[in-house]
Amino acid sequence: MSLMPTMIDLLARARVDLRMGLPVVLTTPDQAILALAVEPLDTKRLASLRALGPIALTVTARRAETLKARVYDGDIARIAVPSSADLTWIQAVADPADDLRTPMKGPLRSDRDGDAELHRLAIALTKSARLLPAAAICPLQHPAQFAQSHGLTTLPLAAVAPLMVESSPLHPVAAARLPIAAAEAGRLHIFRPEDGAEEHYAIEIGKPDRSQPVLARLHSACFTGDVLGSLKCDCGPQLHGALAQMGAEGQGVLLYLNQEGRGIGLANKMRAYSLQDQGFDTVEANHRLGFEDDERDFRLGSAILKELGFSSVRLLTNNPNKISMMEKTGIAVTERVPLKVGETAFNREYLATKAAKSGHML
């Protein structure tokens, strides 16, 4: 029936449920778990979860490395939650905010028996919901009946796993002329993904010839830099510098991708900033939170360019990963145009880390 939710709809619903503190049911033909995101977990739901059986706290291998917990499942670790552990203990293991003040969380025992694929899916869901990548998990014996009686969203691994690694298709929603400071001949295009995630934008300057390489930039949203003028990064100057260069040339396209904080969301970015204030660099802070160096999906930019009719670019970037992504997804990069702006006394170490650890060409 066409009015029934599709698997993409259920996936979007599950992300919202996790952000609201609701559990989701994850299944394979042979296994089922109940998963709750740790970040919004409260004492009442923790007590309800305990009543179902033993709890495992699933974190990423990056977070487990900080915790000195053994990793038996590759990119994740399943930490057994002691029966005496309360909500404060669980959240302290998941959140590195007080790591320096209370560094000893353990001893921690990691589970190594059984399949960890559903636990891995739970972590992927918390990441895509822009939450701390940590989930409290309990096994379920009768998942269909449990989900129905509690009104919970159920996600079968086989149907959901391919959707988690694909880039959701983008569709044009609206476009209109928008004179901006960099160029009066501006036009803003809005693109909406099918999976209910954030919309993305393309700012087109002039009327670029689709048969020629267009001056282009993939710019990830940065509320602190783009809007507030933060001195901790070079994002704001890069945004305005790229638009100014396009305005000077009379044409170009800037793709504004809503992937704040290298894809971890603004709240987690602020957590990373707090860790940086404790002495960790930007990569170390991401790892302590449980994220990779960069969680962004640059395929979105390629998809928007193709939708707009472009097949080749002169790419304004210092990031080699953007160049390789473009080439892999069918957009030819005929030239890398450097964009070196915005260095301050506050972001010098940040830029040095980007060069040393992320390979940025600065």
Side-chain angles (χ1 to χ4, degrees):
M1 184 176 179
S2 61
L3 296 180
M4 295 290 288
T6 67
M7 197 52 59
I8 292 177
D9 299 328
L10 291 175
L11 186 55
R13 183 182 295 175
R15 292 190 181 104
V16 175
D17 288 348
L18 289 171
R19 288 180 64 87
M20 296 295 292
L22 287 170
V24 296
V25 176
L26 309 179
T27 67
T28 69
D30 304 315
Q31 183 187 14
I33 64 172
L34 189 68
L36 292 94
V38 169
E39 184 176 330
L41 184 62
D42 60 29
T43 54
K44 290 184 178 179
R45 288 202 168 118
L46 176 59
S48 297
L49 189 63
R50 280 195 187 282
L52 298 174
I55 302 173
L57 174 58
T58 302
V59 298
T60 68
R62 292 292 192 188
R63 180 65 184 146
E65 181 182 2
T66 295
L67 296 166
K68 303 297 187 288
R70 291 188 178 276
V71 178
Y72 298 115
D73 302 313
D75 56 345
I76 64 168
R78 295 170 288 157
I79 298 171
V81 177
S83 58
S84 60
D86 59 8
L87 180 61
T88 299
W89 184 90
I90 291 173
Q91 291 182 331
V93 172
D95 189 340
D98 291 327
D99 276 358
L100 293 187
R101 187 169 61 85
T102 56
M104 301 303 293
K105 311 291 186 188
L108 302 175
R109 181 177 66 82
S110 297
D111 295 334
R112 62 190 306 176
D113 298 326
D115 195 329
E117 284 304 303
L118 291 179
H119 297 73
R120 184 169 288 108
L121 174 58
I123 289 296
L125 287 169
T126 59
K127 281 188 175 184
S128 64
R130 302 293 187 258
L131 297 168
L132 277 172
I137 288 171
C138 181
L140 279 180
Q141 297 302 320
H142 305 287
Q145 298 93 315
F146 189 91
Q148 184 175 15
S149 63
H150 289 80
L152 301 179
T153 303
T154 299
L155 298 178
L157 176 66
V160 171
L163 300 176
M164 297 299 294
V165 296
E166 294 173 359
S167 189
S168 181
L170 292 165
H171 302 289
V173 177
R177 185 178 67 86
L178 181 68
I180 58 177
E184 293 182 4
R187 188 171 183 81
L188 180 62
H189 303 260
I190 310 298
F191 292 85
R192 182 175 296 158
E194 289 183 1
D195 65 0
E198 301 94 336
E199 294 170 348
H200 306 283
Y201 321 128
I203 301 112
E204 185 177 4
I205 302 299
K207 296 182 179 180
D209 184 347
R210 267 57 175 173
S211 68
Q212 299 296 318
V214 63
L215 182 64
R217 171 158 177 80
L218 275 66
H219 186 89
S220 297
C222 177
F223 172 74
T224 53
D226 299 343
V227 179
L228 301 181
S230 168
L231 302 178
K232 283 179 65 69
C233 65
D234 56 344
C235 301
Q238 284 188 326
L239 170 65
H240 297 291
L243 288 172
Q245 187 163 342
M246 293 173 188
E249 293 195 12
Q251 59 181 16
V253 59
L254 186 138
L255 310 175
Y256 197 90
L257 307 180
N258 273 308
Q259 301 188 111
E260 180 81 45
R262 295 189 179 183
I264 67 176
L266 183 57
N268 286 320
K269 174 178 162 180
M270 289 301 98
R271 292 186 174 106
Y273 274 14
S274 180
L275 292 173
Q276 289 172 36
D277 288 341
Q278 297 177 33
F280 301 103
D281 67 34
T282 181
V283 171
E284 292 167 343
N286 272 25
H287 289 179
R288 293 186 79 89
L289 285 165
F291 295 103
E292 295 303 314
D293 303 16
D294 196 332
E295 298 272 353
R296 289 174 291 183
D297 183 1
F298 292 132
R299 294 173 298 179
L300 297 168
S302 177
I304 292 174
L305 284 169
K306 290 177 181 177
E307 183 67 34
L308 290 173
F310 298 104
S311 59
S312 61
V313 295
R314 297 165 51 227
L315 195 60
L316 271 161
T317 188
N318 304 320
N319 187 346
N321 291 331
K322 293 181 180 180
I323 299 172
S324 62
M325 180 283 304
M326 285 287 187
E327 297 284 0
K328 287 177 183 177
T329 53
I331 298 291
V333 180
T334 63
E335 179 187 1
R336 180 186 81 86
V337 182
L339 186 61
K340 298 181 181 181
V341 292
E343 181 175 332
T344 72
F346 295 92
N347 66 23
R348 197 161 290 129
E349 290 186 7
Y350 163 77
L351 296 177
T353 300
K354 285 210 297 185
K357 294 188 175 182
S358 302
H360 285 223
M361 296 174 281
L362 298 175

